[in-house]
């Protein structure tokens, strides 16, 4: 007998499983309640509406190429356990992902769960298993003078039309693709899953009817314990593009005005890059050791280890996320900054193992053109190491340079101190990962407002807060390496989350989040270098050719927005706070970082290469809130960043030059990073003041509190309403972050799983009371035994 726990608390345990009806009736005692799982209880909330929505959506020509609608079925505990028998008769455990089922096996499942000739069987038996489609319900409603419910009319109409005709027979025979994921018998919590993908015919009415009727037949089977419509997966970098630019699906306002990384070179160190993948292919150039700025995409390829990537390798994916761009047009996996170019440092062997050159050698890749280096790799050492020191020192010696490093994937279980070197550096940006949007996230995951459970956490060994910023790092689609295929490109349709097909690949990790921020950093550099600052419009007279790495870091971190929690799956959501070691400054948000008229929330004022003396103060020009031209943002955000010399490896107080940011407004002084006083630990500080009003004047001060040098250079950015126009992105749409209801939806499903059966049980309890009373009076036979098996 197998059971699976649905809910467990100190005084209540809810499980489901399979047992004979006679055994179920034999469970007695006031502490036990037994409820048969009827088909209507097997549907997850929203599944019926989801099926109707998915099929209609897929029949739209503009959505061709998206994943097909499908159903996921959870088989009851003990059904289809994952075992195999070898030639010697030894049973071994088979724990794998989704497996395609053979035609014969699929045929057996179809005949078992949903016969291809549904007519009489569906009409006469399955309809009666659901109260709202049964004769008992229709007769009861008629006798009471009640109208049939809309759901009853829907199901009755579907069964009557599609089970009594041959319209669905061709669909069931030729348009269903079945897959199974078997349970691990060593896991008490694991269950087997079935998935059936539905190849739509193009006739919306038939598609909806056949899919719903099929689902009803499946739900009626005793081996199926629950059923749901799988959310369509839309895993693309185009999702990451709008998610970080506008937060409204399909809108990329920075691309619209030419801000796509044009003129920027981003250095990448990783396992290798498949240079003839269509996202990097250059018919006129073969990248090599020497810099070639005329190349279409890869301007340099430094083969520290070899000259390619392994099959579906890490490096090709990372480079594609930053700047991938199909040579023949728009692709499904174009990068975050498709106008930028790549200088690649190949540090991986054919097995994907990394072999690092000297740090200075590595960081000079792309020099002098590359001012951004993206490193989606690192160690598990939480300390300030020699490498962390070298990276910090390189940024200090090269003030225009910015290094971005993956924080790591060791945060499971909310484990602290899991950010690893060199992401433990001071001057670099350590990047964590949050979920992707609903149309792109993997099954059962929460929405984009939640941090991925694997994302590594701070603090560093000396107490500095990490990671610095969070970006989308789940189900990111990018270029996929096929080193023995030339010109591999997009498949006919998008693969699912964490899947691959042809020349594209979907992966998750802080390795995927880091290039998202690196590509965005390239767009911000372009914003300054091509004269978009401060007006938001390209203007040659406003060109600022040498923005520092500190300025780019300040812009990224100043615009970051706070998230809702950490999604730990079945273990729930971990509460988080601003500036904690889960999210620190929050998620990447380009529309809160720089100004485009009518397309972003804020205007920006920036100061670069300023300096403060030891024990001295630098008071910046007053900042005045001006909403006269329509700007409606009610916050003022100010961020200070300084790049200082590398510290001694193993340092316990690694910040050498301690600057203090303070902002005075309305007679009150505000301190950074959510603290009541100065921050003595970090070299990035932010003040956010909410509820500012038109005409408010803020005074920004930088104090050189304790320096090891006579002076320290810094960069500072302020955003808010400074006379700009209002953002029009949200006039007809809601931000996917502001409207992220995934947590409440998950809780609703859990509560339904608990309380709907309890509600039915209350009714059953009343019925049982009268049944037993009648039995005592001799009205019912008491010793009837049945061998019918039902789902419990």
């Amino acid at each position: 007998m197998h059971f699976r726990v649905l809910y467990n608390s100190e005084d209540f345990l809810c499980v489901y499983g399979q047992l004979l009806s006679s055994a179920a009736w034999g469970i007695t005692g006031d502490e036990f309640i037994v409820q048969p799982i009827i088909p209507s209880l097997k549907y997850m909330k929203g599944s019926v509406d989801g099926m109707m929505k998915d099929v209609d959506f897929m029949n739209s020509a503009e959505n061709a190429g998206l994943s097909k609608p499908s159903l996921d079925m959870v088989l009851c505990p003990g059904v289809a356990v994952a075992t195999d028998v070898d030639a010697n008769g030894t049973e071994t455990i088979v724990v794998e992902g989704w497996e395609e089922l053979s035609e014969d096996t699929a045929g057996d499942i179809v005949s078992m769960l949903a016969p291809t000739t549904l007519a009489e069987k569906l009409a006469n038996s399955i309809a009666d298993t659901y109260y709202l489609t049964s004769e008992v319900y229709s007769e009861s409603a008629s006798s009471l003078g009640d109208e049939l419910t809309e759901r009853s009319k829907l199901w009755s109409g579907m069964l009557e039309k599609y089970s009594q005709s041959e319209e669905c027979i061709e669909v069931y025979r030729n348009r269903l693709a079945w897959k199974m994921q078997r349970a691990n018998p060593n896991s008490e919590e694991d269950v087997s899953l079935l998935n059936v993908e539905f190849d739509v015919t193009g006739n919306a009415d038939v598609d909806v009817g056949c899919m719903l009727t099929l689902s009803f037949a499946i739900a009626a089977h005793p081996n199926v314990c629950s059923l749901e419509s799988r959310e369509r997966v839309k895993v693309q970098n185009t999702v990451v593009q709008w998610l970080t630019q506008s937060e409204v699906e399909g809108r990329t306002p920075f691309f619209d005005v030419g801000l796509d990384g044009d003129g920027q070179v981003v250095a990448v160190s990783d396992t290798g890059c498949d240079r003839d993948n269509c996202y990097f292919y250059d018919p006129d150039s073969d990248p090599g050791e020497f810099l070639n700025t005329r190349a279409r995409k890869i301007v340099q390829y430094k083969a520290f280890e070899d000259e390619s990537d392994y099959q579906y390798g890490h490096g090709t994916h990372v480079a594609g996320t930053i700047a991938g761009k199909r040579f023949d047009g728009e692709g499904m996996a174009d990068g975050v900054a498709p106008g930028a170019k790549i200088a690649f440092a190949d540090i991986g062997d054919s097995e994907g193992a990394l072999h690092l050159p000297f740090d200075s050698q590595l960081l000079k890749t792309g020099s002098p053109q590359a001012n951004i280096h993206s490193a989606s790799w690192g160690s598990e050492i939480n300390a300030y190491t020699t490498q962390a020191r070298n990276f910090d020192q390189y940024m200090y010696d090269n003030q225009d340079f910015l290094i971005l490093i993956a924080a790591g994937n060791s945060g499971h279980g909310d484990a602290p101190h899991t950010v690893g070197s060199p992401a433990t550096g001071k001057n670099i940006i350590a990047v964590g990962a949050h979920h992707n949007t609903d149309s792109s996230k993997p099954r059962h995951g929460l929405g984009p407002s939640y941090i991925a459970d694997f994302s590594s956490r701070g603090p560093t060994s000396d107490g500095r807060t990490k990671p610095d910023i969070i970006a989308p790092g789940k189900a990111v689609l990018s270029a996929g390496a096929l080193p023995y295929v030339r010109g591999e490109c997009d498949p006919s349709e998008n693969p699912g989350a964490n899947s691959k097909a042809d020349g594209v690949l979907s992966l998750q990790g802080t390795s995927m989040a880091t290039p998202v921020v690196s590509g965005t950093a390239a767009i911000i550099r372009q914003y300054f270098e091509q004269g978009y600052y401060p007006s938001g419009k390209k203007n040659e007279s406003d060109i600022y050719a040498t923005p520092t790495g500190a300025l780019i870091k300040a812009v990224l971190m100043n615009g970051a927005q706070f998230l809702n929690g950490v999604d730990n799956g079945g273990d729930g959501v971990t509460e988080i706070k601003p500036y904690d070691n889960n999210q620190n400054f929050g998620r990447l948000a380009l529309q809160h970082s720089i100004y485009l008229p009518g397309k972003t929330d804020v205007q920006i004022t920036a100061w670069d290469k300023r300096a403060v003396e030891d024990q001295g103060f630098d008071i910046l020009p007053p900042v005045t809130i001006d909403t006269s031209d329509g700007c409606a943002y009610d916050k003022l955000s100010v961020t200070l960043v300084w790049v200082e010399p590398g510290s001694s490896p193993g340092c316990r107080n690694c910040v050498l030059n301690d600057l203090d940011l303070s902002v005075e407004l309305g007679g009150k002084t505000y301190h950074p990073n959510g603290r009541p006083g100065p921050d003595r630990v970090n070299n990035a500080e932010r003040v956010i003041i909410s509820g500012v009003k038109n005409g408010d004047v803020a005074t920004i001060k930088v104090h050189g509190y304790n320096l090891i040098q006579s002076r320290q250079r810094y960069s500072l950015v302020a955003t808010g309403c400074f006379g700009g126009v209002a953002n029009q992105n949200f006039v007809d749409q809601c931000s996917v972050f502001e409207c992220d209801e995934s947590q409440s939806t998950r809780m609703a499903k859990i509560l339904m799983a608990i309380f709907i059966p309890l509600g039915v049980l209350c009714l059953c309890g009343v019925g049982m009371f009268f049944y037993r009373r009648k039995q005592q009076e001799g009205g019912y036979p008491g010793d009837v035994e049945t061998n019918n098996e039902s789902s419990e």
Side-chain angles (χ1 to χ4, degrees):
M1 187 179 299
H2 299 270
F3 291 105
R4 178 173 171 81
V5 176
L6 280 175
Y7 178 84
N8 184 30
S9 67
E10 185 177 352
D11 56 0
F12 185 80
L13 174 68
C14 181
V15 300
Y16 71 87
Q18 267 190 333
L19 66 163
L20 295 174
S21 299
S22 57
W25 283 110
I27 299 176
T28 59
D30 294 338
E31 70 271 26
F32 295 110
I33 302 172
V34 179
Q35 165 62 45
I37 303 178
I38 59 177
S40 58
L41 292 180
K42 296 181 181 181
Y43 281 90
M44 295 295 288
K45 180 182 178 182
S47 290
V48 174
D49 293 337
M51 280 182 264
M52 299 176 73
K53 175 184 176 182
D54 275 354
V55 178
D56 284 339
F57 190 90
M58 285 303 303
N59 284 330
S60 172
E62 66 188 64
N63 294 298
L66 297 179
S67 57
K68 299 172 183 176
S70 65
L71 302 174
D72 281 329
M73 295 143 270
V74 176
L75 301 187
C76 295
V79 178
V81 171
T83 58
D84 199 4
V85 178
D86 62 20
N88 298 320
T90 303
E91 191 176 73
T92 57
I93 299 171
V94 180
V95 184
E96 298 177 347
W98 287 104
E99 58 180 277
E100 298 285 348
L101 298 181
S102 68
E103 188 173 339
D104 290 341
T105 305
D108 291 341
I109 293 174
V110 171
S111 63
M112 178 178 68
L113 296 181
T116 54
T117 54
L118 292 170
E120 212 173 296
K121 188 168 184 177
L122 278 175
N124 296 335
S125 60
I126 294 181
D128 281 335
T129 64
Y130 184 30
Y131 179 63
L132 292 180
T133 59
S134 66
E135 290 185 10
V136 174
Y137 169 70
S138 59
E139 290 172 0
S140 174
S142 177
S143 65
L144 295 173
D146 293 338
E147 285 286 328
L148 298 179
T149 66
E150 291 302 316
R151 188 51 55 100
S152 171
K153 294 176 183 178
L154 169 68
W155 282 117
S156 297
M158 290 291 178
L159 292 175
E160 181 179 356
K161 179 175 181 180
Y162 293 103
S163 68
Q164 298 288 344
S165 72
E166 296 189 356
E167 288 188 80
C168 294
I169 291 179
E170 190 273 335
V171 172
Y172 295 149
R173 285 178 177 167
N174 302 314
R175 293 183 177 273
L176 301 181
W178 295 82
K179 294 185 291 185
M180 175 178 285
Q181 183 170 287
R182 299 178 182 272
N184 180 355
N186 286 340
S187 172
E188 294 182 358
E189 295 299 316
D190 204 9
V191 292
S192 294
L193 302 174
L194 275 177
N195 171 266
V196 57
E197 188 178 69
F198 196 89
D199 188 4
V200 295
T201 65
N203 184 325
D205 290 338
V206 171
D207 287 336
V208 171
C210 294
M211 193 171 188
L212 286 171
T213 306
L214 173 65
S215 76
F216 203 87
I218 291 170
H221 197 278
N223 281 352
V224 175
C225 273
S226 71
L227 177 147
E228 66 179 294
S229 172
R230 175 180 286 201
E231 296 181 15
R232 292 180 310 100
V233 180
K234 183 182 177 183
V235 286
Q236 297 183 0
N237 280 353
T238 54
V239 172
V240 173
Q241 289 166 354
W242 65 255
L243 194 64
T244 55
Q245 287 193 30
S246 70
E247 304 173 12
V248 176
E249 185 168 1
R251 295 181 183 175
T252 51
F254 292 87
F255 288 175
D256 294 343
V257 298
L259 285 165
D260 61 358
D262 175 59
Q264 303 302 307
V265 175
V266 180
V268 182
S269 54
D270 216 295
T271 60
C273 185
D274 191 349
R275 291 167 283 180
D276 63 17
N277 180 288
C278 70
Y279 286 93
F280 309 105
Y281 177 68
D282 186 346
D284 301 318
S285 175
D286 185 16
E289 181 179 355
F290 299 102
L291 199 66
N292 176 15
T293 57
R294 294 189 299 275
R296 186 188 80 88
K297 186 55 59 179
I298 300 179
V299 300
Q300 184 182 39
Y301 197 94
K302 298 186 73 171
F304 289 110
E305 190 60 28
D306 57 26
E307 296 187 4
S308 186
D309 202 1
Y310 60 96
Q311 184 167 324
Y312 289 117
H314 190 271
T316 300
H317 187 281
V318 166
T321 300
I322 295 172
K325 175 66 177 175
R326 276 187 63 154
F327 75 96
D328 57 353
E330 185 175 331
M332 66 170 64
D334 284 346
V336 173
K341 298 181 180 183
I342 296 291
F344 200 92
D346 188 332
I347 55 174
D349 62 23
S350 60
E351 302 298 323
L354 299 183
H355 305 274
L356 299 177
F358 292 118
D359 295 327
S360 58
Q361 258 188 307
L362 180 71
L363 295 174
K364 287 178 180 176
T365 301
S367 178
Q369 299 299 319
N371 289 302
I372 299 168
H373 191 107
S374 187
S376 288
W377 49 267
S379 72
E380 295 183 359
I381 302 172
N382 183 244
Y384 190 84
T385 64
T386 298
Q387 187 173 60
R389 179 264 170 206
N390 290 344
F391 278 41
D392 279 345
Q393 188 63 38
Y394 191 90
M395 280 190 60
Y396 182 74
D397 293 337
N398 299 271
Q399 291 283 314
D400 295 348
F401 207 74
L402 178 63
I403 304 171
L404 302 101
I405 305 172
N409 302 321
S410 302
H412 299 284
D414 297 322
H417 298 282
T418 47
V419 169
S421 173
T424 53
K426 302 175 297 182
N427 300 332
I428 58 89
I429 295 180
V431 183
H434 70 75
H435 283 207
N436 219 318
T437 187
D438 282 345
S439 60
S440 181
K441 65 182 176 66
R443 181 172 173 263
H444 295 323
L446 293 181
S449 297
Y450 295 87
I451 298 171
D453 65 326
F454 56 75
S455 186
S456 286
R457 321 295 165 83
T460 60
S461 59
D462 64 309
R464 286 174 292 112
T465 311
K466 290 287 178 177
D468 296 301
I469 199 168
I470 311 291
K474 291 196 101 174
V476 177
L477 191 74
S478 187
L482 291 174
Y484 302 110
V485 177
R486 186 173 180 82
E488 67 272 22
C489 205
D490 295 346
S492 58
E493 62 178 41
N494 301 329
N498 305 322
S499 300
K500 54 185 177 288
D502 295 346
V504 298
L505 169 68
S506 170
L507 290 175
Q508 68 178 25
T510 58
S511 285
M512 285 60 255
T514 302
V516 173
V517 185
S518 300
T520 305
I523 290 174
I524 293 171
R525 283 194 66 88
Q526 180 193 358
Y527 184 82
F528 286 102
E529 289 183 2
Q530 293 188 0
Y532 286 86
Y533 171 79
S535 68
K537 299 179 181 179
K538 193 172 183 178
N539 188 337
E540 287 189 7
S541 63
D542 288 328
I543 288 175
Y544 178 39
T546 58
T548 65
L551 176 62
I552 306 304
K553 179 178 178 179
V555 172
L556 286 166
M557 296 183 69
N558 185 65
Q561 304 292 298
F562 296 123
L563 292 156
N564 292 347
V566 179
D567 181 12
N568 290 306
D571 292 329
V573 173
T574 300
E575 293 185 3
I576 60 177
K577 297 178 180 179
Y579 308 107
D580 67 7
N581 286 291
N582 297 292
Q583 66 168 332
N584 203 357
F585 279 48
R587 64 172 172 85
L588 174 68
L590 195 52
Q591 70 141 324
H592 295 280
S593 301
I594 51 181
Y595 178 55
L596 293 181
K599 298 177 183 291
T600 62
D601 278 344
V602 298
Q603 293 82 63
I604 177 174
T605 299
W607 292 270
D608 198 18
K609 303 176 184 176
R610 287 183 75 100
V612 62
E613 306 290 333
D614 184 28
Q615 301 296 312
F617 284 89
D618 188 23
I619 301 175
L620 285 83
V623 173
T624 302
I625 302 300
D626 180 0
T627 62
S628 60
D629 208 13
C631 178
Y633 197 64
D634 68 345
K635 294 182 178 68
L636 171 65
S637 182
V638 180
T639 298
L640 165 71
V641 169
W642 68 96
V643 169
E644 63 173 37
S647 302
S648 299
C651 53
R652 307 304 298 175
N653 185 21
C654 296
V655 171
L656 303 175
N657 295 323
D658 186 7
L659 307 188
D660 291 334
L661 169 68
S662 63
V663 181
E664 297 175 0
L665 188 147
K668 183 177 179 180
T669 299
Y670 295 85
H671 295 284
N673 299 351
R675 303 179 185 230
D679 184 341
R680 298 274 176 249
V681 181
N682 300 289
N683 62 328
E685 301 182 354
R686 179 174 66 174
V687 169
I688 298 177
I689 304 175
S690 299
V692 295
K693 301 179 181 63
N694 186 48
D696 284 350
V697 179
T699 300
I700 303 169
K701 295 181 179 180
V702 178
H703 179 203
Y705 175 75
N706 183 21
L707 313 183
I708 65 167
Q709 300 163 303
S710 60
R711 64 201 304 265
Q712 171 65 50
R713 289 212 307 183
Y714 70 85
S715 299
L716 190 142
V717 171
T719 54
C721 287
F722 305 145
V725 298
N727 186 356
Q728 301 298 313
N729 273 322
F730 302 134
V731 171
D732 59 344
Q733 294 285 336
C734 181
S735 162
V736 293
F737 294 97
E738 297 296 328
C739 295
D740 185 355
E741 299 179 349
S742 56
Q743 167 69 346
S744 58
T745 300
R746 175 187 281 180
M747 290 302 299
K749 289 181 179 180
I750 294 173
L751 292 174
M752 284 186 63
I754 296 170
F755 292 112
I756 288 180
L758 288 178
V760 176
L761 290 172
C762 291
L763 296 174
C764 290
V766 174
M768 183 60 70
F769 172 79
F770 288 108
Y771 174 83
R772 288 179 174 171
R773 172 178 288 182
K774 190 70 175 178
Q775 189 180 58
Q776 291 170 357
E777 295 172 356
Y780 295 126
D783 297 319
V784 176
E785 186 173 336
T786 175
N787 288 319
N788 291 332
E789 187 180 78
S790 66
S791 297
E792 303 292 342

